Amino acid sequence: VNIFVFEITLTYFLNSTMPSEVLIAVTSLFENFLNSKKLRKTHERMVILKEIYSLQGHFDMDLLYKTMRQKKHRISKATLYNNMELLMDAGLIIKHQFGKNLAQYERSYKYKQHDHLICNDCHQVFEFCDPRLLLIQNSTSKLLGFNINRHALHFFGSCNALENNGTCPHKK
């Protein structure tokens, strides 16, 4: 069975900064979305989008806020929350709820379907893709007469090293 870790195969997409052509594309998509909703294209909205697409992997609101403050952007948390909703509506970010009432987000431009394994101890999120899940999705779609456009699967557990050695190698 061919199971591969997304972090290895899609490092460029999920764990690196975006090249300028991607930033141009997402900016254009967001501007078109704002125009269609008759909303203003503000400096704050564009800076938030740029900062999100410069982050690596998953992020929460606190990380985004701290990153923006470190770069001397003067944006309130309320502005961040409001614009996160807009970015989700525009299809440019995805919100995940991995437990502990803490939402995490990830960029979704040219999104590749993947699933998550969350460590119960260090709360690190690992991404993986197992092609068998696509087979299950397709057979379920056919069996129940649905057009499934995406799914979310989250596994929660503890690493074997923690159980064997008493320490989690992923804990920072």
Side-chain angles (χ1 to χ4, degrees):
V1 176
N2 183 17
I3 299 175
F4 57 94
V5 177
F6 237 38
E7 290 172 321
I8 295 170
T9 58
L10 291 177
T11 299
Y12 171 77
F13 176 72
L14 294 174
N15 295 321
S16 65
T17 56
M18 289 287 143
S20 61
E21 60 269 10
V22 171
L23 188 56
I24 291 168
V26 295
T27 299
S28 177
L29 288 169
F30 194 40
E31 288 173 353
N32 290 339
F33 172 80
L34 292 171
N35 287 336
S36 74
K37 300 291 184 186
K38 299 198 183 331
L39 298 170
R40 292 182 305 124
K41 173 190 159 188
T42 64
H43 172 74
E44 291 82 4
R45 288 178 175 151
M46 296 302 119
V47 168
I48 292 168
L49 178 66
K50 181 180 178 191
E51 289 305 322
I52 287 171
Y53 272 82
S54 71
L55 291 173
Q56 297 181 3
H58 296 93
F59 62 93
D60 62 25
M61 197 63 79
D62 287 337
L63 175 64
L64 179 59
Y65 182 72
K66 287 176 189 172
T67 300
M68 296 191 76
R69 297 291 293 186
Q70 288 171 350
K71 293 183 179 181
K72 308 293 185 214
H73 297 299
R74 301 187 71 200
I75 295 176
S76 70
K77 280 193 175 183
T79 299
L80 277 181
Y81 278 103
N82 292 334
N83 282 283
M84 295 302 275
E85 292 296 322
L86 283 176
L87 290 165
M88 284 187 290
D89 291 344
L92 294 171
I93 61 171
I94 295 173
K95 180 179 182 179
H96 298 287
Q97 199 73 38
F98 294 132
K100 296 186 87 177
N101 296 328
L102 178 67
Q104 290 198 9
Y105 302 86
E106 66 181 322
R107 334 179 263 229
S108 61
Y109 178 73
K110 293 197 172 183
Y111 177 79
K112 304 291 184 200
Q113 181 65 56
H114 61 275
D115 300 289
H116 301 97
L117 169 65
I118 299 95
C119 178
N120 288 330
D121 305 296
C122 69
H123 311 290
Q124 185 165 342
V125 178
F126 299 91
E127 296 178 336
F128 69 94
C129 182
D130 184 337
R132 295 174 298 175
L133 294 172
L134 183 59
L135 295 173
I136 293 169
Q137 179 176 309
N138 290 340
S139 65
T140 302
S141 175
K142 189 178 287 184
L143 179 68
L144 298 176
F146 274 80
N147 181 16
I148 299 171
N149 51 22
R150 70 184 209 88
H151 73 264
L153 175 64
H154 307 307
F155 291 115
F156 294 85
S158 298
C159 65
N160 293 335
L162 178 66
E163 291 179 20
N164 297 335
N165 307 329
T167 60
C168 177
H170 310 292
K171 198 166 197 164
K172 295 177 184 177

mmCIF file of all heavy atoms in Angstrom, residues 118-123 156-158:
data_model
loop_
_atom_site.group_PDB
_atom_site.id
_atom_site.type_symbol
_atom_site.label_atom_id
_atom_site.label_comp_id
_atom_site.label_asym_id
_atom_site.label_seq_id
_atom_site.Cartn_x
_atom_site.Cartn_y
_atom_site.Cartn_z
ATOM 1 N N ILE A 118 -2.957 14.355 14.501
ATOM 2 C CA ILE A 118 -2.644 15.353 15.521
ATOM 3 C C ILE A 118 -2.141 14.634 16.762
ATOM 4 O O ILE A 118 -2.803 13.722 17.281
ATOM 5 C CB ILE A 118 -3.881 16.217 15.870
ATOM 6 C CG1 ILE A 118 -4.375 16.971 14.636
ATOM 7 C CG2 ILE A 118 -3.550 17.224 16.965
ATOM 8 C CD1 ILE A 118 -5.469 16.300 13.885
ATOM 9 N N CYS A 119 -0.969 15.060 17.217
ATOM 10 C CA CYS A 119 -0.383 14.470 18.417
ATOM 11 C C CYS A 119 -1.126 14.999 19.648
ATOM 12 O O CYS A 119 -1.255 16.219 19.827
ATOM 13 C CB CYS A 119 1.105 14.819 18.504
ATOM 14 S SG CYS A 119 1.901 14.172 19.987
ATOM 15 N N ASN A 120 -1.606 14.088 20.484
ATOM 16 C CA ASN A 120 -2.322 14.474 21.707
ATOM 17 C C ASN A 120 -1.417 15.185 22.704
ATOM 18 O O ASN A 120 -1.905 15.901 23.582
ATOM 19 C CB ASN A 120 -2.911 13.243 22.400
ATOM 20 C CG ASN A 120 -4.084 12.665 21.660
ATOM 21 O OD1 ASN A 120 -4.830 13.365 20.992
ATOM 22 N ND2 ASN A 120 -4.242 11.356 21.761
ATOM 23 N N ASP A 121 -0.116 14.978 22.598
ATOM 24 C CA ASP A 121 0.814 15.479 23.609
ATOM 25 C C ASP A 121 1.432 16.822 23.228
ATOM 26 O O ASP A 121 1.413 17.751 24.016
ATOM 27 C CB ASP A 121 1.897 14.432 23.861
ATOM 28 C CG ASP A 121 1.259 13.105 24.225
ATOM 29 O OD1 ASP A 121 0.603 13.038 25.281
ATOM 30 O OD2 ASP A 121 1.360 12.160 23.426
ATOM 31 N N CYS A 122 1.963 16.918 22.007
ATOM 32 C CA CYS A 122 2.604 18.176 21.604
ATOM 33 C C CYS A 122 1.717 18.998 20.675
ATOM 34 O O CYS A 122 2.047 20.125 20.336
ATOM 35 C CB CYS A 122 3.955 17.913 20.935
ATOM 36 S SG CYS A 122 3.837 17.129 19.310
ATOM 37 N N HIS A 123 0.602 18.426 20.230
ATOM 38 C CA HIS A 123 -0.395 19.087 19.378
ATOM 39 C C HIS A 123 0.131 19.427 17.986
ATOM 40 O O HIS A 123 -0.493 20.201 17.265
ATOM 41 C CB HIS A 123 -0.980 20.331 20.055
ATOM 42 C CG HIS A 123 -1.434 20.062 21.449
ATOM 43 N ND1 HIS A 123 -2.531 19.280 21.720
ATOM 44 C CD2 HIS A 123 -0.915 20.417 22.644
ATOM 45 C CE1 HIS A 123 -2.679 19.172 23.034
ATOM 46 N NE2 HIS A 123 -1.707 19.859 23.613
ATOM 47 N N PHE A 156 -6.245 11.385 15.917
ATOM 48 C CA PHE A 156 -5.605 11.903 17.124
ATOM 49 C C PHE A 156 -4.903 10.741 17.809
ATOM 50 O O PHE A 156 -5.467 9.653 17.912
ATOM 51 C CB PHE A 156 -6.644 12.503 18.080
ATOM 52 C CG PHE A 156 -7.312 13.732 17.538
ATOM 53 C CD1 PHE A 156 -8.423 13.638 16.708
ATOM 54 C CD2 PHE A 156 -6.826 14.997 17.853
ATOM 55 C CE1 PHE A 156 -9.036 14.770 16.204
ATOM 56 C CE2 PHE A 156 -7.440 16.140 17.358
ATOM 57 C CZ PHE A 156 -8.539 16.020 16.536
ATOM 58 N N GLY A 157 -3.679 10.963 18.262
ATOM 59 C CA GLY A 157 -2.967 9.892 18.951
ATOM 60 C C GLY A 157 -1.669 10.377 19.559
ATOM 61 O O GLY A 157 -1.320 11.558 19.471
ATOM 62 N N SER A 158 -0.978 9.431 20.182
ATOM 63 C CA SER A 158 0.326 9.702 20.781
ATOM 64 C C SER A 158 1.376 8.906 20.026
ATOM 65 O O SER A 158 1.128 7.772 19.613
ATOM 66 C CB SER A 158 0.329 9.288 22.254
ATOM 67 O OG SER A 158 -0.617 10.041 22.970
#
